[in-house]
Amino acid sequence: MEKVDKSKPVLVTGATGYIASWVVKYLIDEGFTVHATVRDTSNNEKNAHLYNIGEKGPGELKLFEADLLRDGSFAEAMEGCGLVMHTASPFFIQGIKDAQKQLIDPAVNGTRNVLETASQTETVSRVVLTSSIAAIYGDAVDKFKTRNGVFTEKDWNTSSSLTHQPYSYSKTLAEREAWKIAENQDRWDLAVINPGFVMGPSLSKRTDSTSIDFMLSMVNGKFAMGVPDFYFAMVDVREVARAHVNAGLREEASGRHILVAETVNALDVADMLRDKFDKRFKIPKRKLPDFMIYLFGPLQGFGWKHLRKNLGIPYYFDNSYSKTDLGIEYWPIRQTLAEHVEQLDNDNLI
Ligand code: NAP
């Protein structure tokens, strides 16, 4: 018998999100019934793109209300599901006032809430968790602790804390909690997706996702003076969504999966966009000198410790397991970036 019964519905948590929306689309395209949880089923503006996906079929979409911080609130949506995709988690790295409340509690307690409900739901045989490379490394300098300077699925973030890189800390604690819960039962197994910084066209017109905000700031003049010398390990949102679906449906899929196409720095991103769009948008042309970043970074929420451990330091990931275990084929990030900007422009968001 197959591990995952494909006739059963699939639960996707945080379905309104940038990544989850693509996961929902691929599942509906493949004919699945998707139980999509959102925080507010009456918010038609936020949920409109999900209704559109559902209407196109051939699969069926059912919306449920659930909140990570409300114990048991995923039970109704999970009823009868064979597969659970847990993507919901707060993703922001700036403007954090209370990291425990804003990041750690929803990430960790939310993971516990969803996975313990999975343990109580007889039909569930697999859970796919959206973790992050943030659970693999904390700062770029951590690469010096690896064997050959390249992070793999064996690495864990040991340098983040409540006060230093709290988003990364939230993802690390949440993924550790997920493995702990998975090991305490034997009906469902866990597959984890660890994406890098996700880019590429969005299915909704929301701009409050960190990925979309970053891309907008590369073309709307926010960095007109220049960009800091930060490196990003990037990946296309569609590859990340495909990885979720394959991790859920492939019998043999297991363990953690790094999803990274390429490491690029902020000026590489600007150069690729300028090659494509030339003068159409206000794309940065130069790197800002490091001393300016040290001067003004703290005002933008980047403390000196963060700068010291990340500025100007490239870091790399081994993505080979995602290719063999999940069959992922990576597109050039240049294409991803261009298609993302085209979508933002077509939706009049720039
Ligand atoms: P996103 O668009 O901001 O989506 C986050 C989702 O989580 C939203 O649906 C949001 O619901 C939901 N959520 C947040 N707090 C919640 C709560 N208390 N209860 C229920 N739902 C809640 O971000 P994303 O980029 O798609 O991120 C999705 C997942 O991927 C997250 O786990 C994130 O850590 C992970 N990830 C993202 C990236 C990236 O570069 N984008 C990289 C690696 C990992 P609302 O719509 O109601 O706000």
Side-chain angles (χ1 to χ4, degrees), residues 3 119 124-125 181-189:
K3 174 77 187 161
S119 297
V124 174
S125 55
I181 297 169
E183 277 152 22
N184 280 337
Q185 55 78 54
D186 55 13
R187 180 173 21 78
W188 52 268
D189 52 27

Side-chain angles (χ1 to χ4, degrees), residues 136-151:
I136 287 184
Y137 90 110
D139 296 294
V141 290
D142 293 349
K143 74 174 182 178
F144 298 116
K145 292 186 234 156
T146 66
R147 208 159 48 85
N148 58 0
V150 177
F151 294 105

Side-chain angles (χ1 to χ4, degrees), residues 13-21 37-40 46-47 66-70 74 86-92 102 106 130-134 167 170-171 193-199 206 208-212 235 237 240 244:
T13 71
T16 43
Y18 171 52
I19 296 173
S21 298
T37 71
V38 299
R39 272 197 275 192
D40 181 4
K46 221 163 146 183
N47 302 331
D67 194 301
L68 293 171
L69 297 168
R70 227 174 40 241
F74 291 87
H86 177 38
T87 81
S89 203
F91 175 33
F92 51 93
Q102 291 172 278
T130 319
S131 184
S132 169
I133 55 167
Y167 166 71
S170 78
K171 296 304 285 181
I193 307 298
N194 302 82
F197 197 22
V198 183
M199 295 285 123
R206 276 175 76 173
D208 58 348
S209 161
T210 296
S211 293
I212 296 161
V235 61
V237 66
V240 174
H244 281 76

Side-chain angles (χ1 to χ4, degrees), residues 290-305:
D290 288 356
F291 81 86
M292 275 185 73
I293 307 298
Y294 274 93
L295 217 54
F296 298 111
L299 299 175
Q300 305 290 324
F302 295 114
W304 284 346
K305 184 174 171 189

